[in-house]
Amino acid sequence: MKNLVDRFNRIHDYLRISLTDKCNLNCIYCNPKTLQRSSLHQNELLSFEELIELIIIFLQSFGVKKIRFTGGEPLARKDVLQFFEKVSRLKNDNNFEIGLTTNGTLLEENLEILKQFRFDKLNISLDSLNREKFAAITGSDSLHSVLRSIEKALHLGFSSLKLNAVIIKNINDSEILDFVDFVKDKDINIRFIEFMPFTNNAWSKDGFISSSEIRNVIEQKYLLRKLEIKLSLVSKDYELVGYKGKVSFISSISDHFCDSCNRLRITAKGKMKLCLFSTSESELDFRKIFSEGSFGRDEKLKRSEIEEKIVRAMELKNEKHPEIESIVQMDQNEMIGIGG
Ligand code: SAM
């Protein structure tokens, strides 16, 4: 087994897989605002069999420790539970954590089975606690089902429950304290995420609010103390002194954390993305590799060819993501297919 190390000595042991670009919500910060989106067809996605092959390679050849499924909405992909069952069986022989990032609308009825499949980490997006505003942000009147999922996840004992809130000025920044009030007595980590530009999303400089501004608002009411043990490599984590809940800030724009990047992504289309903002030249196309590989039915050859391509692609990873001015100009970098 060898580690996946890039030119800057960063070890990559965290794989995020987007299972679909389809989503049952239409969030303003995620979806292209002008284009009418059409989702990929099932046969344009990596099949579950191909994904399992890749997961085995990442676990066994490269020692990946954590795999997170995202989307689009991962729970919206057809037959996803059968796939999750296969992934969970890999836990018998491999030491890794399974995470899921979900909008929480299809979660409630699936929580028991995810618990049975030994999902370790659950991140739920929640961008407003106000029913009308939630609907305006997501295009769906489904705040109640997300809240029910959160309550049930707590009840079932999912630890490390995280809520992700993308804060946008004049949209939901008036709710920063409401989010903290919501988690203060719960075993939940609320994570405030800086609004990032993606192709055709609703990003503008005027809508941007930095982590430090958000923190200032919270500190008007609560005492925050930096946590000794980090909850994640990308966040700055705080305890709410006197309360159970925790607060984190993800400052991808104002204070990027590229130095400690340990992540690789596979998009819904089956491209390996070295960075959320990397360009197509550095993307490995797994669908193409599976369909055109010279390995035929030879499993060993297939595995070594794929391993070699992954190792070579790692050399293209940049030291840090581009500056915001370039990111804003980026074409074909739609969040919905990458998965955050
Ligand atoms: N459907 C799932 C969900 O809603 O969590 C998974 C996909 S969603 C793209 C994954 C994460 O990306 C969410 O937590 C969301 O908040 C975050 N995200 C999407 N667009 C973003 C943006 N423009 N800036 C910051 N975070 C964003």
Side-chain angles (χ1 to χ4, degrees), residues 39-239:
S39 306
L40 296 169
H41 289 293
Q42 195 79 6
N43 62 5
E44 294 175 275
L45 302 170
L46 278 175
S47 69
F48 286 143
E49 290 71 28
E50 289 165 338
L51 279 169
I52 292 285
E53 284 192 42
L54 287 175
I55 289 172
I56 291 174
I57 291 178
F58 277 99
L59 292 175
Q60 296 180 356
S61 305
F62 299 128
V64 160
K65 302 268 184 334
K66 182 168 158 192
I67 298 189
R68 172 172 294 281
F69 298 104
T70 173
E73 173 48 42
L75 293 173
R77 181 159 170 181
K78 191 166 169 275
D79 299 329
V80 75
L81 293 180
Q82 277 116 292
F83 168 67
F84 284 161
E85 184 180 14
K86 292 200 179 94
V87 176
S88 82
R89 276 202 234 117
L90 296 174
K91 276 199 154 197
N92 298 336
D93 302 312
N94 302 276
N95 182 19
F96 70 107
E97 286 183 340
I98 312 179
L100 179 73
T101 301
T102 170
N103 61 34
T105 57
L106 307 169
L107 184 61
E108 190 186 5
E109 60 271 32
N110 291 310
L111 276 165
E112 278 100 348
I113 192 95
L114 294 177
K115 186 92 191 153
Q116 205 179 309
F117 292 161
R118 294 174 284 170
F119 271 58
D120 303 280
K121 310 245 166 168
L122 215 50
N123 292 6
I124 303 175
S125 296
L126 181 67
D127 303 295
S128 177
L129 290 160
N130 172 287
R131 185 175 167 182
E132 282 77 33
K133 206 184 283 178
F134 183 96
I137 294 173
T138 65
S140 168
D141 179 16
S142 45
L143 174 63
H144 52 285
S145 54
V146 182
L147 294 179
R148 278 204 310 267
S149 297
I150 293 168
E151 287 305 322
K152 186 164 167 187
L154 280 176
H155 179 72
L156 289 177
F158 275 94
S159 53
S160 350
L161 192 61
K162 293 183 176 143
L163 301 184
N164 288 341
V166 177
I167 302 299
I168 309 176
K169 211 173 246 172
N170 298 326
I171 303 276
N172 59 355
D173 57 330
S174 57
E175 288 192 65
I176 293 170
L177 285 173
D178 298 343
F179 284 121
V180 182
D181 291 343
F182 179 72
V183 303
K184 69 178 195 234
D185 296 316
K186 301 181 172 74
D187 194 6
I188 294 186
N189 174 208
I190 176 86
R191 309 196 311 164
F192 293 101
I193 305 181
E194 283 180 354
F195 186 21
M196 295 183 278
F198 290 94
T199 306
N200 288 316
N201 77 350
W203 195 88
S204 79
K205 253 193 181 134
D206 296 341
F208 180 76
I209 166 162
S210 69
S211 291
S212 55
E213 289 173 271
I214 299 170
R215 205 178 120 191
N216 285 342
V217 173
I218 298 171
E219 285 182 326
Q220 284 166 23
K221 178 164 174 188
Y222 291 98
L223 189 58
L224 294 177
R225 188 186 298 141
K226 200 147 200 181
L227 280 171
E228 292 292 322
I229 299 169
K230 277 185 77 63
L231 301 177
S232 117
L233 274 178
V234 301
S235 59
K236 295 194 181 74
D237 309 309
Y238 293 83
E239 63 176 309

